[in-house]
Amino acid sequence: MPTNLSPDITERIARARADLRMGVPVVLEEGLIVLAVESLDPDRFAHLRTLDGELTLSITSRRAQTLKARAYDGDIARILLPPDATAAWVRAVADPADDLRSPMKGPLHSARDGTAHLHRAAIALVKAARLLPAALTLTTQDPAGFAAAHNLTIVPGAEVLQQRLSPLHPVISARLPLAVSEAGRLHVFRPDDGAEEHYAVEIGQPDRAAPVLSRLHSACFTGDLLGSLKCDCGPQLRGALAQMGAEGAGVLLYLNQEGRGIGLANKMRAYSLQDQGFDTVEANHRLGFEDDERDFRIGAEILKRMGFSAVRLMTNNPAKVARMEDAGITVTERVPLMVGENRHNTDYLATKASKSGHLL
C-alpha cells in the first residue's frame, strides 16, 4: 500500500484502464504511447499522426489469423499503418463487424523490431479495460517527458504483463433469505485494483473442515437475469442454488466475468457474429480473444478468505477443476450440472463439448 498520497502501481494501472476506456492515451515507461482502438477519437488520432515515429496497430494473433496478417511475435501482430489510414480503417482492422461485407483490409504489413513485450502489455491493458483487444501505438524516446507534457498516466509495461491477482477484501456480509433456503447469506468482496466486485452466496453453515458443495458461476446478464435461451447459464445458476438448498449447505461464487471474461459489450459482438454462422469459439477468435479469458484464481481466493480449502465442485468443465487445483483448492469431487438445454442452445452446448472439453 502507498505510504503517501501518491497512487501506487496498482492504482496507476487502474487509472490507465479507465483512461483507455475514455479514449485518453496512456504511456508505458519503457517508451510506448498507447491508445485503445475501440475508443479512438479521430482528433487524437490526427494529432498522433503529426508526431515523429511509426504508428503501429497491435492486435492479437487470433484477430491476425482472421485478417491473414503475419503474427511474427506468436501471440500478437503489429500492423504498420499506411500513410492514408483513417481512424475508420484502424477500427475496421480491429473490429470484425464488417468483415463479411469488406473482408479485404490490406495489404497488411507486419512489423518486427524487438519490442513485442511492450505491444503485448498494451493489448493486456486494453483487454483489462474490457475493450476490443487492439491498440494504436507509437514509440517515444522520452516517455516520462511526453506523459508529463500531456498530463497522461504512465505505467511500467513490465508490471502490466505480470497480471498478478489483485488482493480481494471482504466488504460486508449479511443474511439473505432465498427461495431455495431461508438460511442464505451474501458476502461481497472487492479487489484492490478497482475492478468489479465479486460475490459469494453461502447457504446454511457449511463445515469449513469438510469439502463444501460449491459452484464458480460467471455473471451472465442475458441468461441469469433476462432468461436468455442462447446459453444454459440461468438454469445452471438456479439449479446449483436449488441443490445447495436441498443439501442444506453450499457456496456459490458469483464472479463478475461476463462473457467468459470479455465483458457484456464484447459478448454481444460475439452474439452478432454467431448470427452470421460462427460458433462461440470462432466468434471469440474473430474478435481477437481466446476461447476463455476468465481468471478462476478469483474464485479460489474467495474460498480461502471464507475458510474453505476443499470443494465438491459443481461443473461440467474439467478446466475449472484443474484451475482450482492449480490455485490451491482441493477438488474432491466433480458434481455434474446437466440443465438448461433447449432448441436455441443445442449448437452452443455442442461447441462447449467439442471445443472446450465440457462433459455434457
Side-chain angles (χ1 to χ4, degrees):
M1 295 296 291
T3 56
N4 53 40
L5 296 179
S6 300
D8 64 14
I9 183 58
T10 297
E11 292 159 342
R12 286 164 55 199
I13 291 176
R15 182 181 291 178
R17 292 198 308 266
D19 286 350
L20 289 171
R21 285 183 66 86
M22 294 185 293
V24 178
V26 301
V27 179
L28 300 184
E29 286 181 358
E30 295 86 346
L32 198 69
I33 304 163
V34 179
L35 272 165
V37 170
E38 181 176 339
S39 56
L40 182 61
D41 177 81
D43 290 335
R44 281 197 168 106
F45 174 67
H47 181 76
L48 208 58
R49 301 220 66 157
T50 67
L51 303 178
D52 291 334
E54 196 167 47
L55 277 173
T56 60
L57 175 57
S58 300
I59 58 176
T60 67
S61 59
R62 294 297 191 185
R63 180 64 183 148
Q65 185 176 14
T66 295
L67 299 170
K68 305 296 188 291
R70 293 286 185 90
Y72 287 121
D73 298 308
D75 57 339
I76 65 168
R78 286 169 289 152
I79 308 301
L80 295 175
L81 259 65
D84 59 347
T86 63
W89 182 88
V90 171
R91 174 64 181 258
V93 172
D95 189 342
D98 75 338
D99 278 0
L100 294 189
R101 181 172 57 84
S102 304
M104 295 302 295
K105 314 293 184 185
L108 301 175
H109 301 287
S110 298
R112 178 166 47 180
D113 63 4
T115 62
H117 61 293
L118 297 184
H119 298 267
R120 196 169 286 121
I123 290 177
L125 265 180
V126 174
K127 272 189 178 182
R130 296 290 189 266
L131 300 171
L132 284 168
L136 189 64
T137 58
L138 180 70
T139 57
T140 175
Q141 298 301 313
D142 182 17
F146 187 89
H150 298 278
N151 197 25
L152 300 177
T153 301
I154 182 168
V155 296
E159 288 288 338
V160 173
L161 287 172
Q162 290 295 323
Q163 295 189 327
R164 298 182 180 91
L165 180 66
S166 180
L168 286 154
H169 303 287
V171 178
I172 187 66
S173 68
R175 189 176 66 86
L176 183 67
L178 301 171
V180 299
S181 172
E182 293 187 4
R185 193 169 193 85
L186 181 66
H187 305 257
V188 178
F189 291 83
R190 182 176 296 158
D192 274 353
D193 65 359
E196 300 93 340
E197 294 171 347
H198 304 282
Y199 319 120
V201 181
E202 184 175 10
I203 301 296
Q205 295 181 322
D207 182 358
R208 264 58 176 174
V212 62
L213 182 64
S214 181
R215 171 160 175 79
L216 274 67
H217 189 88
S218 298
C220 179
F221 172 76
T222 51
D224 297 343
L225 187 63
L226 302 182
S228 167
L229 299 177
K230 282 181 66 70
C231 64
D232 56 346
C233 301
Q236 285 192 324
L237 171 65
R238 289 179 281 277
L241 286 173
Q243 187 166 337
M244 291 174 189
E247 293 196 13
V251 174
L252 183 138
L253 305 177
Y254 197 86
L255 309 180
N256 275 308
Q257 301 192 103
E258 181 86 38
R260 295 189 179 185
I262 66 176
L264 181 58
N266 286 319
K267 184 173 90 169
M268 290 299 98
R269 289 187 172 107
Y271 276 16
S272 179
L273 291 172
Q274 289 170 36
D275 287 341
Q276 298 174 16
F278 300 102
D279 67 31
T280 311
V281 171
E282 291 166 345
N284 267 29
H285 290 178
R286 291 187 77 87
L287 287 166
F289 293 105
E290 294 301 317
D291 305 19
D292 194 336
E293 298 273 355
R294 289 174 292 184
D295 188 346
F296 291 120
R297 295 178 301 171
I298 296 169
E301 180 67 15
I302 291 175
L303 285 167
K304 292 174 186 176
R305 294 302 299 259
M306 293 180 68
F308 298 103
S309 60
V311 297
R312 297 166 51 222
L313 191 63
M314 302 183 73
T315 183
N316 303 323
N317 183 2
K320 279 188 180 180
V321 176
R323 297 294 80 76
M324 285 293 96
E325 294 277 0
D326 291 345
I329 296 293
T330 300
V331 181
T332 62
E333 179 187 1
R334 185 189 69 83
V335 181
L337 191 57
M338 304 292 194
V339 293
E341 183 172 359
N342 63 72
R343 66 184 181 88
H344 296 280
N345 66 19
T346 301
D347 290 343
Y348 163 81
L349 294 176
T351 300
K352 267 189 172 184
S354 64
K355 293 189 175 182
S356 300
H358 287 225
L359 303 175
L360 298 175

